[in-house]
Amino acid sequence: MERYELAKARVCVIVNAASGRKAGPAIAQRLRDRLESQVADFQIRAFGKGDDLVAIARGAVADGFDLLVAAGGDGTQAAVASAVTGTDAAMVVIPGGTFNYFARDLGSGETVDEAMKIFDAPHLRRIHVGEMNGMIFLNNCSFGAYPEILKRRESIYKRWGRSRVAAYWSAVAALWTLRKPLQLVVRADGTEKHFTTALAFVAKSAYQLEVFGLEGAQDIRDGKLALLVARAQRPAPLVRAALRLAMGKTARYQDFDLIAAEKMELETVPRHEYVAHDGEKTWMDSPFKVRVRHDDLAVLVPAGNQGRQQGSGMS
């Protein structure tokens, strides 16, 4: 790591005005109070529902801002990372969502108060990110049941508000309505495997896997991606697997098959697939070419912070 000269930075805050419990504007004001007088240039660019966040973040990079502060949930972080990855710019993670897996994995703080400490003595680190068909992801990309879970979650959030209990309930509700399993072909390290499954996801977050008691975290620390394919094909066994996950009792050989590789190709039937990625949802076409982009994203962390997961895609 190296010390980051904050006083020389042109800083743009990218803030989700509706993130979490609608705390976006308050977070933005805290960042203004903390940074505006200490940096070379300061600007806030807020976005709302329907805005193209990736385009907003890329516009900030194109306008010469060399530090983007991403204030929001995992979807916000992934969109800003998409703009920053592979450039000379860097980003800061200010968690403002429900789960904030990337912030936890990075070790930059699980709350806004903790994350703000980054600016006391910021250091620059380079980390690995995932890429699928040109799209950057930080935590995971999912196929099959999980995109339907996200759809159900949004309707439950609107009725009952955002909470982790509501998120878990939406998962169970969506799993019970699952209709057709996914046909999946995986090509990695010169081998080809065929699966019929209700759920498959490519993981990039070692922390997220460990939270749910899943294997593959060490593979991610070693610079690989972890593909987990559920053995369940129908609602009932998938719900049972989900309940075991919630209780930390999932066993890889009982519930999931694991494939770890730096790059892989996934082919699905149906070909036009609804994909969940870092809390967002997108229609994409198979085959899906997935890879690790090593040391391609610059992030700021507090001095002496080695991340919650030593070596988990960070250097």
Side-chain angles (χ1 to χ4, degrees), residues 38-168:
Q38 300 184 28
V39 299
D41 188 15
F42 181 88
Q43 187 176 114
I44 294 174
R45 298 187 181 183
F47 68 93
K49 185 176 181 180
D51 290 338
D52 188 339
L53 176 52
V54 174
I56 292 172
R58 285 177 177 165
V61 174
D63 289 341
F65 288 97
D66 43 32
L67 180 62
L68 273 63
V69 181
D74 288 321
T76 302
Q77 313 299 346
V80 173
S82 295
V84 173
T85 296
T87 74
D88 293 330
M91 71 178 285
V92 178
V93 174
I94 304 294
T98 303
F99 291 98
N100 303 306
Y101 285 122
F102 182 55
R104 297 184 194 181
D105 204 1
L106 190 60
S108 62
E110 298 181 26
T111 68
V112 174
D113 287 338
E114 291 173 347
M116 293 286 280
K117 295 177 182 178
I118 292 172
F119 303 116
D120 294 339
H123 280 65
L124 189 70
R125 298 178 64 189
R126 303 202 70 87
I127 67 170
H128 309 333
V129 295
E131 181 186 80
M132 185 172 75
N133 288 7
M135 177 189 70
I136 298 298
F137 66 96
L138 303 173
N139 297 317
N140 64 69
C141 289
S142 306
F143 310 86
Y146 193 67
E148 295 302 319
I149 291 172
L150 291 184
K151 287 170 62 178
R152 184 66 63 92
R153 179 188 298 176
E154 288 306 312
S155 64
I156 291 177
Y157 278 173
K158 288 179 182 178
R159 183 173 181 180
W160 301 105
R162 288 178 175 267
S163 72
R164 295 188 184 184
V165 172
Y168 293 139

Side-chain angles (χ1 to χ4, degrees), residues 8 41 100 119 145 160 176 184 189-190 200 242 249-250 252 279 315:
K8 299 179 180 179
D41 188 15
N100 303 306
F119 303 116
W160 301 105
W176 274 120
L184 177 67
D189 294 334
K249 296 182 179 179
T250 295
R252 167 190 163 192
S315 63

Side-chain angles (χ1 to χ4, degrees), residues 238-284:
L238 194 58
V239 168
R240 288 195 292 270
L243 291 175
R244 283 193 291 271
L245 270 178
M247 294 184 290
K249 296 182 179 179
T250 295
R252 167 190 163 192
Y253 296 108
Q254 181 177 1
D255 293 330
F256 290 92
D257 289 304
L258 170 67
I259 298 175
E262 292 188 24
K263 61 181 179 179
M264 59 187 76
E265 182 178 271
L266 313 178
E267 189 171 343
T268 63
V269 177
R271 179 173 178 271
H272 194 53
E273 185 69 20
Y274 204 37
V275 179
H277 49 96
D278 293 334
E280 304 298 323
K281 307 175 293 294
T282 306
W283 284 102
M284 301 180 71

